Amino acid sequence: GQNIDQPTEMTATEGAIVQINCTYQTSGFNGLFWYQQHAGEAPTFLSYNVLDGLEEKGRFSSFLSRSKGYSYLLLKELQMKDSASYLCAVRDARGNTPLVFGKGTRLSVIA
Amino acid sequence: SAVISQKPSRDICQRGTSLTIQCQVDSQVTMMFWYRQQPGQSLTLIATANQGSEATYESGFVIDKFPISRPNLTFSTLTVSNMSPEDSSIYLCSVLAGGPREQYFGPGTRLTVT
C-alpha cells in the first residue's frame, strides 16, 4: 500500500521560516517531489529529491531521508504570495510511473 | 517543459449526463495521466492514458464511468459518464516530459454536477 502524510494546515508570519513535513510509506521509491498549488490553479513543480540530503533552490529547500521515509520543505523569508497548498508526492517505482500525492498542506502567511 | 491546455475550463452539468474533457499538449509525450481533485483535497490518480490501447485504471475507477481515449502522443480525452453530484471536482491532465522528474499539470477542468 501507499501512505503519504503531511499536516493539513499551517500558519506562519511574513518574513519567517516554515518547515512542512512529509512522511511516506510506499512499496517502492524513485523520488520525492514537492509541488505548490495556489487556489484555483494547477500544481507547479518546486523540488525533487531522490538521494538523501538537502536540495536548495533560492528561498526553498527540500530534505530527504530515505531510511526514515521522511522529507521536509523549508520556506525562508516568507512572502504573502507563498500562501498556497504544498503537495508532497512520491514516485514509487522506476520508469514512467505517475506520482502519488499526499493530501497537501495549506499554508497561510500572515502579516 | 510541456504546455498543457484543457477544454472546457469549467462546466455545470445536470446529473445523468456526460462530459468529455480534452487535453492537448504542445509536444509529443510518452505518458499522460488523468487526476481528480475533489474540493479541499489533494490529487487522486484516475488512470494512465495509453496511446493506441486501453487506459490503465487505478483502484476505484472503471472504464464505464471514466472512458479515456488517447489517439496520438499529444492529445487525450476523459469522459465523465452518467454524472452525479459526487463527481463535482477538478479534473487535471498531467504529462511526463523531459524525464521522470518532470511531471507537468494542465490548468484543470472544474466540473459542477447539479
Side-chain angles (χ1 to χ4, degrees), chain A residues 27-61:
Chain A
S27 53
F29 181 82
N30 192 30
L32 187 138
F33 297 71
W34 285 94
Y35 280 77
Q36 180 190 59
Q37 187 178 28
H38 285 99
E41 298 182 11
T44 55
F45 171 81
L46 284 180
S47 71
Y48 166 75
N49 296 70
V50 68
L51 299 175
D52 291 352
L54 188 68
E55 294 279 343
E56 299 187 75
K57 190 190 295 185
R59 293 190 300 116
F60 293 4
S61 303

Side-chain angles (χ1 to χ4, degrees), chain B residues 33-44:
Chain B
F33 312 106
W34 287 98
Y35 286 82
R36 179 173 75 181
Q37 187 171 30
Q38 293 179 304
Q41 302 296 313
S42 190
L43 283 72
T44 300

Side-chain angles (χ1 to χ4, degrees), chain B residues 2-3 14-15 17 23 26 31 36 41 48 51 62 66 74 77 86 91 95 98-100 103 108-110 112:
Chain B
V3 178
Q14 292 193 339
R15 78 169 63 215
T17 63
C23 173
D26 69 341
M31 307 298 293
R36 179 173 75 181
Q41 302 296 313
T48 300
Q51 195 256 331
V62 295
F66 297 102
T74 63
T77 67
E86 292 72 35
Y91 292 86
V95 305
Q103 185 163 341
T109 296
R110 185 180 296 271
T112 303

